[in-house]
């Protein structure tokens, strides 16, 4: 398989794609005779299920990770099985991000499961602890009324036009130590029941770590903030 070669130690930085040369010619049948065969639905399902089953413990399979390399091995084996010749792996250096786990916990409650955005740096091992402050959708006129220095910003990631990375940079420049985002009713993302979303990120250097919680968990955190001072801890285990 493609995940066990001498460069496997660089799996977090190498994207792997599979290439092949011409098919081997096992007969002299007309070229378009191959298209007369019916689709093997059982084989199609087997391949899709094999690929879909590969992921990290949290279900991610990002570019440049061991999970991506495992899928490349599956695809290469199938390509060889149908008679393709010169099946090879082509390794390409990439900026890679691997998410392991994330959570948000209040001082008097259990941890809430969270995700994050590709490219965000992890927190220190003990996480980031501070007062949780609801910042709405992050508009500047609201932020101007808040003291965020050393605090954790609770963001309703709502905008259809402003990227969350720009909002994150603004919150960081105002002193936020971490960000907890959720997408409440009417937001552009993650509105499905129980959705725990992630996305391709363009996270700026120096911006604080961000985690994303489910809509229902976000609503409970917002309610807690409105009820008085709340301290929270944000943990993010992710590698760039």
């Amino acid at each position: 398989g493609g995940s066990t070669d001498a460069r496997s130690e660089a799996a977090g930085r190498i994207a792997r794609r599979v290439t092949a040369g011409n098919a081997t010619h096992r007969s002299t049948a007309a070229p378009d005779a191959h298209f007369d065969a019916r689709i093997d639905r059982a084989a199609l399902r087997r391949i899709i299920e094999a690929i879909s089953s590969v992921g990290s413990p949290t279900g991610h399979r990002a570019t440049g990770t061991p999970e991506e390399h495992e899928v490349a091995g599956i695809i290469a084996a199938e390509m060889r099985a149908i008679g393709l010749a010169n099946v090879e792996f082509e390794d390409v250096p990439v900026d890679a991000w691997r998410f392991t786990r994330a959570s948000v916990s209040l001082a008097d409650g259990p941890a809430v499961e969270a995700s994050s955005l590709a490219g965000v740096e992890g927190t220190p091992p003990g996480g980031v602890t501070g007062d949780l402050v609801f910042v709405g959708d992050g508009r500047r006129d609201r932020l101007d009324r808040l003291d965020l220095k050393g605090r954790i910003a609770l963001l309703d990631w709502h905008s259809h036009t402003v990227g969350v990375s720009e909002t994150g940079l603004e919150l960081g420049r105002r002193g936020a130590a971490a960000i907890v985002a959720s997408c409440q009713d009417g937001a552009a993302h993650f509105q499905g029941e129980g959705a725990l979303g992630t996305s391709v990120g363009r996270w700026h250097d120096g911006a604080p770590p961000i985690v994303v919680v489910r809509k229902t968990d976000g609503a409970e955190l917002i309610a807690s903030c409105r009820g008085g001072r709340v301290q929270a801890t944000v943990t993010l285990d992710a590698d760039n």
Side-chain angles (χ1 to χ4, degrees), residues 56-135:
S56 69
T58 50
H60 293 72
R61 191 175 69 238
T63 300
T65 62
E67 291 79 27
E68 184 212 36
H69 292 193
E70 184 177 347
V71 167
I74 293 171
I75 294 171
E78 294 295 338
M79 292 169 74
R80 293 185 183 108
I82 64 174
L84 294 180
N86 303 318
V87 177
E88 297 178 352
F89 296 113
E90 182 178 344
D91 289 353
V92 182
V94 294
D95 292 325
W97 179 78
R98 193 168 193 232
F99 173 86
T100 303
R101 65 182 64 84
S103 67
V104 180
S105 57
L106 302 184
D108 57 351
V112 171
E113 183 183 20
S115 63
S116 187
L117 308 179
V120 177
E121 295 285 349
T123 60
V128 175
T129 299
D131 289 344
L132 189 64
V133 179
F134 182 50
V135 300

Side-chain angles (χ1 to χ4, degrees), residues 170-197:
E170 180 71 23
L171 291 170
R173 287 180 172 175
R174 291 173 182 260
I179 303 167
V180 177
S182 70
C183 295
Q184 297 301 299
D185 289 338
H189 306 284
F190 315 140
Q191 294 298 289
E193 183 178 355
L196 182 60

Side-chain angles (χ1 to χ4, degrees), residues 10 22 104 119 123 128 137 182 186 199 220-221:
N22 294 329
V104 180
T123 60
V128 175
D137 63 1
S182 70
S199 179
E220 291 181 4
L221 291 173

